[in-house]
Amino acid sequence: MPDAQQKRKLPPSLEKDFGLKAMELLFTITPEHTQIRIGEQLEREMLKHDEQQAQLMGFVARLQERLLAPLVFVLCLAGGMLAIYFPERQFTPEKIISMTLSGVLLAVVWWFFSGRLLRRLRARLAASHAKPRAPLRGTNQRLIEAKLRINLKSVEGAYRLLLDDQGFSLVNAKGAKGGLAWGKIVRLKETPDFYSVACAESDRKDKAYHIPKRSDVMDAEQYQQGLALFLSRVPASAVLTPAS
């Protein structure tokens, strides 16, 4: 399959016609297109999800490492104090002395014997973090896929792609219109089924205009000529991402 750079070379007649009148291309974003794009985007979103999960688990692990020792000590101390305070629920001089002595005794015991306890607790926490969480990942994948499907199905339908000297316009069946001036295009991406272009702002938001490589509503040769014209006007400085 010739790449986008090769398709930028146009016959002189087509280049001449382009300067005289606009060209119109017709295509439809179908459910099949939606399914293809879901597959492409789902893989990227799951990679992002896994990275975020890894960062979160790393943060939790570091937090547990810092707080484990003081938390266990405080729990032991609080448990001893409550055991002395109940069941009478009154502070007496004897209870205060007992609490003080128990606190000192706990501190001494903790100083000499806490290392072994903490090593065991940390080993259990590490084993817990290392356990696979396939069910949770599967649930998140289904949620992400459902969100992608809602967003992508909303753009299904018939489109008109209008090309002229200034740029391109994309109009859907409901009359909603978008487009870019040629000089604002900074990203050109090619996949097996689409060409996608974006300006700097859209590229930062990971958004783009998607143009199918084939049309089911107009002559295939005319559509390919129009695509060649479209690609020829994309600035050479636009970053090209080839088909995977």
Side-chain angles (χ1 to χ4, degrees):
M1 179 184 296
D3 62 21
Q5 295 289 353
Q6 291 173 327
K7 288 183 179 179
R8 293 189 185 192
K9 298 179 181 180
L10 296 178
S13 60
L14 189 57
E15 285 280 8
K16 183 178 178 181
D17 289 343
F18 182 71
L20 297 176
K21 61 181 179 180
M23 175 178 284
E24 178 179 84
L25 299 181
L26 306 176
F27 62 84
T28 303
I29 301 294
T30 66
E32 289 75 18
H33 287 140
T34 296
Q35 193 60 39
I36 291 170
R37 292 180 62 192
I38 286 175
E40 294 172 349
Q41 295 188 25
L42 182 60
E43 183 177 357
R44 294 198 302 270
E45 292 299 321
M46 289 307 298
L47 286 175
K48 291 180 183 179
H49 171 268
D50 291 343
E51 291 175 357
Q52 292 171 352
Q53 285 293 107
Q55 292 174 357
L56 178 60
M57 295 302 294
F59 172 77
V60 171
R62 291 191 298 272
L63 190 63
Q64 288 176 340
E65 179 69 22
R66 293 178 181 178
L67 298 181
L68 182 62
L71 179 60
V72 174
F73 179 81
V74 169
L75 288 176
C76 292
L77 181 62
M81 298 300 167
L82 290 175
I84 296 172
Y85 176 72
F86 288 102
E88 289 85 0
R89 299 184 182 181
Q90 291 181 350
F91 283 106
T92 63
E94 292 79 6
K95 283 189 176 183
I96 294 175
I97 294 173
S98 297
M99 288 180 177
T100 302
L101 291 176
S102 65
V104 173
L105 180 61
L106 175 63
V108 173
V109 173
W110 182 265
W111 178 265
F112 287 102
F113 300 103
S114 62
R116 183 180 299 179
L117 172 64
L118 292 175
R119 282 194 297 271
R120 290 182 178 179
L121 290 175
R122 289 183 177 121
R124 290 191 177 185
L125 289 172
S128 176
H129 292 323
K131 289 181 180 179
R133 291 172 169 78
L136 182 60
R137 189 178 190 275
T139 300
N140 290 332
Q141 179 172 334
R142 288 190 291 272
L143 291 173
I144 293 173
E145 182 176 354
K147 181 179 178 180
L148 289 174
R149 189 176 300 279
I150 291 173
N151 292 336
L152 293 178
K153 283 190 72 69
S154 66
V155 299
E156 290 180 1
Y159 286 85
R160 297 165 56 222
L161 178 64
L162 306 174
L163 313 176
D164 59 29
D165 282 327
Q166 284 70 46
F168 73 89
S169 300
L170 195 60
V171 186
N172 66 16
K174 297 179 180 179
K177 186 176 181 180
L180 290 173
W182 300 118
K184 290 187 176 182
I185 298 176
V186 299
R187 172 75 67 177
L188 169 63
K189 180 178 180 180
E190 180 185 3
T191 69
D193 297 277
F194 289 93
Y195 290 112
S196 303
V197 293
C199 62
E201 182 179 357
S202 298
D203 193 44
R204 285 194 297 269
K205 298 177 180 179
D206 198 23
K207 295 181 179 181
Y209 291 97
H210 300 277
I211 314 299
K213 287 186 173 182
R214 289 165 289 277
S215 171
D216 56 356
V217 291
M218 67 178 295
D219 179 75
E221 183 177 355
Q222 290 182 350
Y223 189 75
Q224 292 305 316
Q225 286 182 345
L227 277 183
L229 177 59
F230 174 83
L231 295 171
S232 74
R233 293 295 167 166
V234 175
S237 59
V239 179
L240 174 64
T241 304
S244 54

